[in-house]
Amino acid sequence: MATASITVSETPLVLYTLRRADDALILGHRLSEWCGHAPMLEEDMALANIALDLLGQARELYSYAARVENKGHDEDKFAYLRDVRQYRNLLLLEQPNGDFARTMVRQVFYSVFADLYWRAMMKSDDPTLAAIAAKSEKESAYHVRHSSEWIVRLGDGTEESHRRAQTAIDDLWAFTGEMFAVDDGERGLIDAGIAIDAATLHDQWLKTVSDVVREATLTLPKNDWMQQGGRSGSHSEYLGHLLSELQSLQRTFPGAAW
Amino acid sequence: MVAVLSDSDLRQRAWDAAATVVDPEIPVLTIADLGVLRDVQVHDGRIEVAITPTYSGCPAMNMIILEIELALERAGFARPTVRTILSPAWTTDWMSEDGRNKLRKYGIAPPQASSSRRALFGDQQVACPQCGSDNTEVLSEFGSTSCKALWRCKSCREPFDYFKCH
């Protein structure tokens, strides 16, 4: 790689904002990988649309992180010039697309969470985060509906689609716990009224996901062991490969613009 | 004699100029019809326009900003600035009645206030903009742009775009 990574001053608010920005960017990028490959034209458009919403959210969040950090960074530097260990997204969202069922299971797990999260964040005492939340919750409501309908179609579809959807649920389940984890830095922001306690969203998330999965004639795993690490930069092997593609242009031609 | 315009006259002229800009993806609607144009202010004779995006990732925003700057320059305002604001979040409730009628005539079903975004598997009813029939079905929640869904009329068999309630 030709260009060095930036060094980020991760104050609690910068880190908090980057975590949410990275979630949106990485999932948006994953969904964009379907462009031209989705099972049908309507779905190609839907996945690209959802990716676009997420990319828009990521841009607002990165721009805000840059203003808070005040070190001359901007949205592009955060996206293109941080290495894998500097990324703070959930492990769930960097998992490869796999088959269509896996993409949709990942999507419903995250969208149901994001919808609850952004709705709660509308009450944040931080006016910028509250404004981004008000924008994002409207979009996430569509993402929930779209992915939920697909889970039902796949689960309650053919034997093959049922099997694939159930396998995806079983494989991705261990990555869902990280969404509700809160560390000390976030605790301070929660006490200050800036952040919300994600752990409080778990019951409602589980209820909505269970309803969808039951409707789809699928089942949630019983095991409750959960994998964590993305929030502190310990990623699965997949993120580095994703970033090498995402960042190759800016790393090779620093500052390239069009 | 040079006529000196008051700030409120300048503001009105600037608003009128900015309000002529159309959405590049739905060219029958102006940004005023859409409710994307939020505010125009005059600071020492310089114009500052505030707009709000329909969707976070709407790729038309850059184009709209450029078009506003051009419209204001053509109207005689030097170096106008355009600011993007997020709050309050844009809603289809801001779309003018005139805008809704223009959409329908253009072949796009206007947003319906009654449909609930929260209904997980709920049914909505959207009238076909071509023949007016309520016998329609959704083909895809996501259409040719962020703000539209793809529907089909079962009476006249025409597919149509529905401007999503937001």
Side-chain angles (χ1 to χ4, degrees), chain A residues 1-3 76-77 79-81 245-258:
Chain A
M1 293 271 174
T3 305
D76 282 353
K77 287 204 172 72
Y80 295 126
L81 298 179
E245 185 177 308
L246 176 78
Q247 299 183 338
S248 65
L249 190 90
Q250 285 298 324
R251 297 279 189 175
T252 314
F253 303 99
W258 59 79

Side-chain angles (χ1 to χ4, degrees), chain B residues 4 21 44 47 55-56 71 88-89 102 121 133 141 152 157 165:
Chain B
V4 178
V21 171
D44 299 329
I47 301 297
Y55 283 70
S56 298
K102 282 196 257 181
F121 305 114
S133 167
E141 289 275 8
R152 175 167 55 203
R157 304 302 297 166
C165 187

Side-chain angles (χ1 to χ4, degrees), chain A residues 104-115:
Chain A
M104 278 301 142
V105 167
R106 185 184 63 199
Q107 196 64 37
V108 82
F109 283 166
Y110 176 72
S111 296
V112 172
F113 168 77
D115 192 45

Side-chain angles (χ1 to χ4, degrees), chain A residues 139-159:
Chain A
E139 292 156 2
S140 56
Y142 277 103
H143 306 173
V144 169
R145 198 156 76 188
H146 182 74
S147 49
S148 303
E149 285 175 357
W150 266 114
I151 297 303
V152 174
R153 283 171 76 176
L154 294 168
D156 199 14
T158 65
E159 210 172 287

Side-chain angles (χ1 to χ4, degrees), chain A residues 69-87:
Chain A
E69 190 202 22
N70 201 19
K71 292 280 161 68
H73 296 143
D74 58 20
E75 49 175 318
D76 282 353
K77 287 204 172 72
F78 282 132
Y80 295 126
L81 298 179
R82 281 179 306 145
D83 212 343
V84 59
R85 294 300 293 263
Q86 296 173 288
Y87 262 78

Side-chain angles (χ1 to χ4, degrees), chain A residues 42-43 45-47 49-50 52-53 55-57 59-60 115 119 127-128 131-132 134-139 141-146 148-149 152 208 211-212 215, chain B residues 52-59 62 84 86-87 89-92 116-122 124 139-148 150 162 164-166:
Chain A
E42 288 79 6
E43 198 48 36
M45 280 157 55
L47 293 172
N49 262 291
I50 296 173
L52 197 58
D53 287 342
L55 214 55
Q57 294 167 13
R59 292 187 60 185
E60 295 293 344
D115 192 45
R119 253 192 287 168
T128 306
I132 294 171
K135 202 89 205 112
S136 304
E137 73 91 24
K138 292 185 174 213
E139 292 156 2
Y142 277 103
H143 306 173
V144 169
R145 198 156 76 188
H146 182 74
S148 303
E149 285 175 357
V152 174
T208 304
D211 286 350
V212 172
E215 175 86 17
Chain B
T52 194
T54 53
Y55 283 70
S56 298
C58 180
N62 289 342
T84 303
L86 286 186
S87 182
W90 179 81
T91 162
T92 36
S116 166
R117 286 180 294 118
R118 296 275 166 228
L120 251 190
F121 305 114
Q124 344 171 38
L139 290 178
S140 172
E141 289 275 8
F142 298 88
S144 53
T145 66
S146 301
C147 51
K148 286 179 283 180
L150 191 59
Y162 165 54
K164 292 191 279 198
C165 187
H166 202 58

Side-chain angles (χ1 to χ4, degrees), chain A residues 159-170:
Chain A
E159 210 172 287
E160 177 71 1
S161 68
H162 179 94
R163 184 186 64 76
R164 285 173 182 258
Q166 187 61 57
T167 304
I169 289 173
D170 295 345

